Amino acid sequence: MDLKRIEDLRVDNDLTQQDVANVLHCQREVYRRYEKGTRELPLSYAIILAQYYKVSLDYLVGLSDTK
């Protein structure tokens, strides 16, 4: 998974890690670990993030450069 992409999407949307953690209903520290790659992002969270950012799952995980 392209973890840099979830960080870039967050930054491009002027969101804090806490903002995204709120969307996922998790703690900020848990989300930070997803972003840094120390914890695997669950598929259910990837789906939520793709819908939230209005991008495809393929884009979110780095399989495509087409949003």
Side-chain angles (χ1 to χ4, degrees):
M1 180 179 294
D2 188 349
L3 299 171
K4 179 75 172 125
R5 193 156 278 175
I6 65 171
E7 180 179 4
D8 288 345
L9 283 166
R10 177 181 61 78
V11 171
D12 289 348
N13 284 276
D14 296 321
L15 299 170
T16 65
Q17 288 181 339
Q18 185 62 58
D19 293 332
V20 180
N22 291 343
V23 169
L24 297 176
H25 304 288
C26 69
Q27 295 178 350
R28 186 200 60 81
E29 180 61 22
V30 171
Y31 176 75
R32 185 190 71 78
R33 290 178 185 159
Y34 296 144
E35 220 175 63
K36 298 306 174 195
T38 58
R39 187 170 181 169
E40 189 171 328
L41 182 69
L43 178 58
S44 60
Y45 282 6
I47 291 168
I48 291 168
L49 289 177
Q51 291 173 329
Y52 182 77
Y53 291 125
K54 296 178 176 51
V55 299
S56 70
L57 275 175
D58 283 352
Y59 178 82
L60 188 74
V61 300
L63 295 176
S64 170
D65 289 329
T66 303
K67 289 184 178 183

